[in-house]
Amino acid sequence: MSWEDLWPLLLNGTLETVYMVALASLFTVLIGLPLGVILFLSRRNGLFPLPRVNALLGAVVNFGRSLPFIVLLIALIPFTRLLIGTTLGSTAAIVPITLGAFPFFARLTESALDEVDYGRIEAILSMGGNVWHVIAKALLPEALPTLLAGITLTVVMLIGFSSMAGVIGGGGLGDLAIRYGYQRFNDQVMVGTVVILLAMVQGVQMAGDRLVRRLAHRR
């Protein structure tokens, strides 16, 4: 395969991967962040103790984290078809990618909130603040650098998930590597997809680490 034929395939696969990872990251944070906050607050000794709710949510999160992603991809085919109308393409792949990632980010959020100095929380409560004030003024601001580090780790994981989605025709670089690289024994495509994926992971990790250091330095 000549370069003239190869680079449009790589460009299209890269754009599809960026599309999947960007939207899946957004949905993962939108679901996982409040879920992690609820897990933190609803502990038996938490600020808003709801032991049964905490146990139920914890079980859901633990189940989601323990299920191998390739199994989740296949298991969610009927749900994805019901929701999107198809199981093929980058848009359909966002569904299992998000559902596979948000339990992981929820636990990262819960762990990040654990690191917040409880003295800040007590100070807000002693001044008449409620749970919402604690979340907005102490928990999220204080945990922001750790949360950003967790988001960086999650985005890197999502890049890997998007590649595995190629197994079921999810589009992106993973689908390209399987259809053109593996099935047609094209080493150029395989090398090209691997190089681009490595560059994406390194770029995300470096950008995330730099942002976390900047925020930590300001604090």
Side-chain angles (χ1 to χ4, degrees), residues 94-122:
I94 293 172
V95 176
I97 291 174
T98 301
L99 293 179
F102 85 81
F104 175 77
F105 184 69
R107 284 301 187 194
L108 289 181
T109 299
E110 184 183 14
S111 298
L113 299 180
D114 271 331
E115 299 179 8
V116 176
D117 183 9
Y118 198 77
R120 298 292 298 271
I121 298 175
E122 291 180 330

Side-chain angles (χ1 to χ4, degrees), residues 155-167:
V155 173
V156 170
M157 183 181 70
L158 287 173
I159 294 174
F161 280 3
S162 71
S163 300
M164 282 188 279
V167 174

Side-chain angles (χ1 to χ4, degrees), residues 34 37-43 46-50 113 118 120-122 124-141:
V37 173
I38 294 173
L39 285 170
F40 177 80
L41 296 176
S42 62
R43 294 173 177 176
L47 296 176
F48 198 75
L50 294 169
L113 299 180
Y118 198 77
R120 298 292 298 271
I121 298 175
E122 291 180 330
I124 293 175
L125 293 176
S126 66
M127 291 186 291
N130 54 31
V131 174
W132 296 111
H133 292 130
V134 171
I135 295 173
K137 301 295 184 181
L139 290 179
L140 295 182

